[in-house]
Amino acid sequence: MYRLLDCITQDHIYGLVAVAAFICVIGSVLSTHMSSRLTQWKGKRRLVQLPLAGLITGATIWSTHFIAMLAYNPGYAHGYEPVLTGLSLLVGILGSVAANAWLAYGNNRYAPYVAGAIFGLCVAAMHYTGMSAYLLPGRIVWSLPHMVASVLLGAGLGAISYGLIAKRLDGMTGWIWPATTMVLAICLMHFTGMSAVEIRLDSSVVVPPMAISDTAMAMLIFGVTVIILLIAIASASIEVNLEGESRSQLEHAAQHDPLTSMPNRMWLARKMDDLATQLAEDETARVAMLTMDLNLFKEVNDLHGHAMGDAVLRRVAWRLSMQLGEGEYVARAGGDEFVAIQVGFRCIEEVLSFAKRLHAAIVEPIDLEEVSLRVGASIGIATTLEDGRDAAQLLHKSDVAMYRAKSETDRPICLFDEEMGRINRNKMQLVHDLRRALENDEFELVYQLQNRLETLAPEGFEVLLRWNHPTRGRVSPEEFIPVAEETGLVRDIGAWVLREACREAAQWDYPYSVAVNVAPQQLVQPSFLENVMDNLFETGLLPQRLELEITEASIIHDQAHTLKVMHKLKALGIRIAMDDFGTGYSSLSMLQTFPFDKIKIDRSFIQDVHKNPQRAAIVRSTLLLGDALDIPVLAEGVESEDELIFLREENCTSSQGYYFGLPMAREDMRRITCKPIDDQEENAA
């Protein structure tokens, strides 16, 4: 230790030692930065980075060594042999490349430490190769213990440095500690190696004239160091700029919709966080949320295809963007729904004006590929003026107001009010209660007769769902079925109805048919067909007695899939009826394409059919169509003798409705479907 301190304090020029240390620190910081990238990057980027990192690290070792050698003052003439001097630089670079390659491609937990040890051995190899290039009038005698100590210090501290690089520590510690240990590895190895030097002068040894002088060496070191450091700094700067640009591009892509280039839901979430902070910190801040949903957009997709629908969305998005002024923003929240934000307004009239501008931009005709399309919009508004200062709640309330606007065709723009909030809370409570209704056995089935008109004899029953709420009593299907369809609960409820209907019909003594309504959400389930087959197998009901009623809405969503399912159901022997015929826009094409066994005329055409010439004409046309296609027709909603007479005169096949009685509970239905006990005993005898 004394020899090391004596070497540093007595034999070196302090100013140059400081320069060597400075170069070592700068180079080590850049080297550890470049080496850490090797552990993160893959492929070609890593292959390009590897020699660059080796060049910078090797040059740092070499420059530090020879600047320190310039600081070494032996007190007599000396110089540097050119070939060995150049070879020492090559040793430093190649050794650094080897160390970094081991760091980058090593596949076990000890690889970083092995790489660091290689780095330390590289420092020692460069040092002693450089010392071999040192020419003086005499010869150098080496102290073996000091040489071994210098190599061990370089390898040990190098292993620690590379181990820290591989850990990828966060913040400034991620580069301070690895760089510090690398500086120590280089400096302690060098000065410990220098302390191993003992010069024995010999007048017979002459420094050759071709040796590199201190001045020339200083210029060479300065040139190499400047070039290498400039390359390193430029590389790091380019890398930082590229990463910044890539990060900006990724950030933009993550927060913008690829179809319309508008801000997306992620951008909206961040904006909501910013607004929440602003509203909490500034009591005077004003924010308005506008939720917009396109009307008739589904029809565009159904009639013209999704490519045309995408073009419409792009055009609408562009128009909305063109309407924005200072403090106004708009984002695509998903599908055909958009959210607009306005800040810094003074009164509600400014918000309404903003909403009208957006609405006017949307409803303008859209000319695409020789097709002129028109879509509408429903806009709901909530503001901090009257609806609270919680940003998330404002968005929710604007959504509630939008649904109110959607239900009122004469009012496309609605401001939120507490009545809407009450209705929405009731709806949420209804959804909650519906989820528990199946678990609590609150549903029941009632049965409506279907009669042949020729004899008025029963031929089957349609099962209808009823909900007995524990506190509200009987809840109308018109109230809860739309909610069940909207939330997807209709899938579980429909499965229960089908299972119960099959189980009940299997117990009847007379082979009446049982008709069950199937919701669109059930048909698209991959397991629907399997569930129907399981119900028939478990209950023992003959497939010919089961009739599934399907509306046009079930077909329009996915015609190819529905047609495939219907053919499989028909192959099992199950009958399929088109329900609510006449209420859709494609009934005739449906009858031509899909294999229906029955047509059910909607009740809206049967009511007062004997008085209304238009309804009578529609019913007659449907009956003629059914006769031509050999498909039986059932009239729904028959309530009077006159309606019945009209249908019989027009040769309608079957009917159902209140004329034959209200939907029956299970006990009343069994009086028709099951034989009396006396008849059963007589048949048994």
Side-chain angles (χ1 to χ4, degrees):
M1 177 61 74
Y2 173 77
R3 188 167 180 174
L4 172 62
L5 293 175
D6 184 64
C7 172
I8 296 173
T9 57
Q10 302 299 322
D11 300 334
H12 286 78
I13 301 171
Y14 296 155
L16 287 176
V17 170
V19 172
F22 176 75
I23 295 297
C24 186
V25 169
I26 298 300
S28 295
V29 169
L30 291 171
S31 297
T32 54
H33 171 76
M34 302 288 281
S35 297
S36 68
R37 293 301 194 191
L38 292 172
T39 65
Q40 303 171 23
W41 291 341
K42 306 291 181 184
K44 292 182 179 180
R45 196 173 184 185
R46 176 187 278 178
L47 288 175
V48 172
Q49 182 79 356
L50 181 60
L52 184 60
L55 177 65
I56 294 169
T57 305
T60 297
I61 300 168
W62 185 84
S63 300
T64 302
H65 169 81
F66 278 100
I67 292 175
M69 288 301 298
L70 290 176
Y72 181 65
N73 183 19
Y76 32 76
H78 57 275
Y80 303 90
E81 199 278 324
V83 175
L84 287 176
T85 300
L87 180 62
S88 66
L89 176 59
L90 185 63
V91 168
I93 292 172
L94 293 179
S96 298
V97 170
N100 285 328
W102 200 284
L103 174 68
Y105 296 103
N107 54 8
N108 61 66
R109 61 178 180 172
Y110 300 110
Y113 301 101
V114 174
I118 293 173
F119 165 79
L121 294 175
C122 161
V123 175
M126 194 289 309
H127 175 87
Y128 289 110
T129 303
M131 289 301 297
S132 300
Y134 191 60
L135 302 176
L136 48 87
R139 59 190 180 88
I140 297 175
V141 178
W142 297 96
S143 169
L144 184 60
H146 287 80
M147 290 180 66
V148 171
S150 69
V151 172
L152 291 177
L153 279 171
L157 289 170
I160 295 173
S161 176
Y162 273 64
L164 291 171
I165 291 172
K167 288 183 182 298
R168 301 182 194 175
L169 301 174
D170 294 330
M172 295 184 64
T173 55
W175 59 269
I176 288 178
W177 289 113
T180 300
T181 49
M182 182 175 285
V183 169
L184 291 174
I186 296 171
C187 292
L188 288 179
M189 188 277 130
H190 173 84
F191 287 111
T192 304
M194 290 302 295
S195 68
V197 172
E198 181 182 343
I199 298 174
R200 294 182 181 177
L201 298 176
D202 185 345
S203 59
S204 64
V205 179
V206 180
V207 177
M210 296 300 294
I212 302 174
S213 66
D214 279 0
T215 302
M217 192 65 188
M219 295 177 64
L220 176 63
I221 295 171
F222 178 77
V224 170
T225 302
V226 168
I227 291 172
I228 298 300
L229 288 181
L230 285 176
I231 292 173
I233 293 171
S235 173
S237 177
I238 292 170
E239 175 194 325
V240 169
N241 289 335
L242 287 175
E243 283 197 352
E245 290 178 7
S246 299
R247 191 178 296 109
S248 297
Q249 291 173 358
L250 288 173
E251 187 79 8
H252 184 273
Q255 295 194 53
H256 286 77
D257 172 48
L259 176 65
T260 63
S261 298
M262 294 188 82
N264 61 9
R265 185 176 289 276
M266 180 178 290
W267 177 92
L268 181 61
R270 294 190 177 182
K271 186 66 177 178
M272 294 290 291
D273 292 339
D274 294 341
L275 290 175
T277 303
Q278 183 180 350
L279 290 173
E281 294 177 352
D282 184 359
E283 295 183 357
T284 64
R286 294 180 176 180
V287 174
M289 294 286 180
L290 296 83
T291 300
M292 299 175 286
D293 190 78
L294 302 186
N295 302 331
L296 304 177
F297 181 72
K298 181 180 179 301
E299 284 73 6
V300 172
N301 278 332
D302 290 340
L303 294 175
H304 301 283
H306 289 280
M308 189 68 74
D310 289 345
V312 169
L313 285 175
R314 284 192 291 268
R315 183 65 61 86
V316 168
W318 178 80
R319 288 180 177 179
L320 292 175
S321 300
M322 292 299 99
Q323 297 299 318
L324 300 180
E326 185 178 355
E328 297 171 351
Y329 312 89
V330 66
R332 184 186 177 201
D336 60 344
E337 185 174 314
F338 299 85
V339 173
I341 299 172
Q342 187 179 35
V343 299
F345 56 90
R346 291 171 295 178
C347 58
I348 195 66
E349 283 72 21
E350 290 185 34
V351 180
L352 289 171
S353 177
F354 179 42
K356 290 174 182 176
R357 276 192 280 126
L358 297 177
H359 184 266
I362 294 172
V363 300
E364 281 291 316
I366 299 173
D367 298 322
L368 298 168
E369 298 180 7
E370 300 181 356
V371 177
S372 183
L373 302 174
R374 187 186 293 270
V375 294
S378 300
I379 303 178
I381 303 173
T383 73
T384 51
L385 295 177
E386 297 179 357
D387 305 315
R389 300 185 62 78
D390 185 304
Q393 280 298 311
L394 287 175
L395 182 60
H396 170 69
K397 290 177 178 179
S398 70
D399 194 55
V400 171
M402 182 271 292
Y403 278 105
R404 170 61 67 86
K406 213 168 185 65
S407 66
E408 299 181 3
T409 55
D410 60 332
R411 191 163 61 131
I413 300 174
C414 278
L415 288 165
F416 177 83
D417 59 41
E418 284 306 319
E419 176 63 16
M420 294 181 192
R422 185 189 64 79
I423 293 173
N424 186 66
R425 287 191 295 272
N426 290 342
K427 182 180 178 181
M428 293 299 102
Q429 183 62 47
L430 187 65
V431 171
H432 177 266
D433 293 346
L434 263 178
R435 295 185 190 280
R436 301 184 58 182
L438 274 177
E439 301 174 6
N440 297 339
D441 196 25
E442 296 173 12
F443 291 118
E444 69 167 317
L445 297 182
V446 295
Y447 303 81
Q448 186 167 40
L449 264 174
Q450 295 178 335
N451 300 73
R452 290 192 62 80
L453 278 176
E454 184 179 358
T455 62
L456 299 184
E459 63 177 3
F461 292 86
E462 179 182 0
V463 296
L464 303 173
L465 182 64
R466 297 292 183 263
W467 180 16
N468 298 311
H469 193 279
T471 58
R472 298 175 57 183
R474 184 67 66 91
V475 181
S476 169
E478 295 180 356
E479 183 178 353
F480 73 82
I481 291 297
V483 174
E485 291 178 340
E486 182 182 331
T487 58
L489 292 172
V490 73
R491 290 189 289 266
D492 294 332
I493 295 173
W496 179 86
V497 171
L498 181 61
R499 183 170 59 252
E500 288 297 305
C502 291
R503 185 182 63 79
E504 179 61 41
Q507 302 177 41
W508 298 344
D509 295 325
Y510 299 106
Y512 295 126
S513 64
V514 60
V516 180
N517 288 281
V518 176
Q521 292 92 329
Q522 292 177 263
L523 275 178
V524 298
Q525 285 184 284
S527 60
F528 175 71
L529 189 65
E530 183 181 349
N531 291 340
V532 173
M533 295 171 62
D534 289 345
N535 285 328
L536 293 175
F537 177 77
E538 292 172 5
T539 61
L541 180 68
L542 293 175
Q544 294 77 11
R545 293 179 57 198
L546 178 61
E547 183 177 283
L548 299 179
E549 298 185 358
I550 299 174
T551 63
E552 291 179 43
S554 304
I555 298 172
I556 292 172
H557 290 307
D558 191 344
Q559 295 193 20
H561 174 75
T562 304
L563 184 60
K564 185 189 301 182
V565 171
M566 288 176 66
H567 278 301
K568 290 181 179 179
L569 292 170
K570 291 276 291 182
L572 295 173
I574 296 170
R575 296 168 55 80
I576 302 173
M578 173 177 269
D579 198 13
D580 300 335
F581 181 83
T583 58
Y585 60 84
S586 56
S587 297
L588 297 180
S589 62
M590 294 297 178
L591 290 177
Q592 185 179 5
T593 307
F594 292 85
F596 289 105
D597 299 290
K598 182 184 290 185
I599 299 171
K600 297 187 70 176
I601 305 177
D602 188 69
R603 67 183 68 246
S604 61
F605 300 108
I606 303 301
Q607 186 179 11
D608 294 330
V609 67
H610 57 290
K611 300 178 184 178
N612 189 310
Q614 291 181 334
R615 294 178 187 174
I618 292 173
V619 172
R620 287 192 183 100
S621 299
T622 304
L623 293 172
L624 288 172
L625 181 63
D627 184 61
L629 297 174
D630 197 24
I631 302 177
V633 177
L634 181 146
E636 294 184 289
V638 178
E639 297 185 2
S640 70
E641 182 77 25
D642 292 330
E643 294 168 355
L644 182 66
I645 292 172
F646 175 89
L647 293 170
R648 295 183 75 172
E649 289 176 350
E650 298 298 331
N651 297 317
C652 183
T653 310
S654 308
S655 65
Q656 71 181 67
Y658 289 170
Y659 176 82
F660 301 97
L662 297 175
M664 292 176 279
R666 180 188 302 171
E667 294 74 16
D668 297 327
M669 173 271 298
R670 285 185 175 177
R671 294 191 182 99
I672 300 173
T673 60
C674 298
K675 295 178 181 179
I677 299 297
D678 294 342
D679 291 349
Q680 294 179 23
E681 292 176 352
E682 181 179 340
N683 291 338

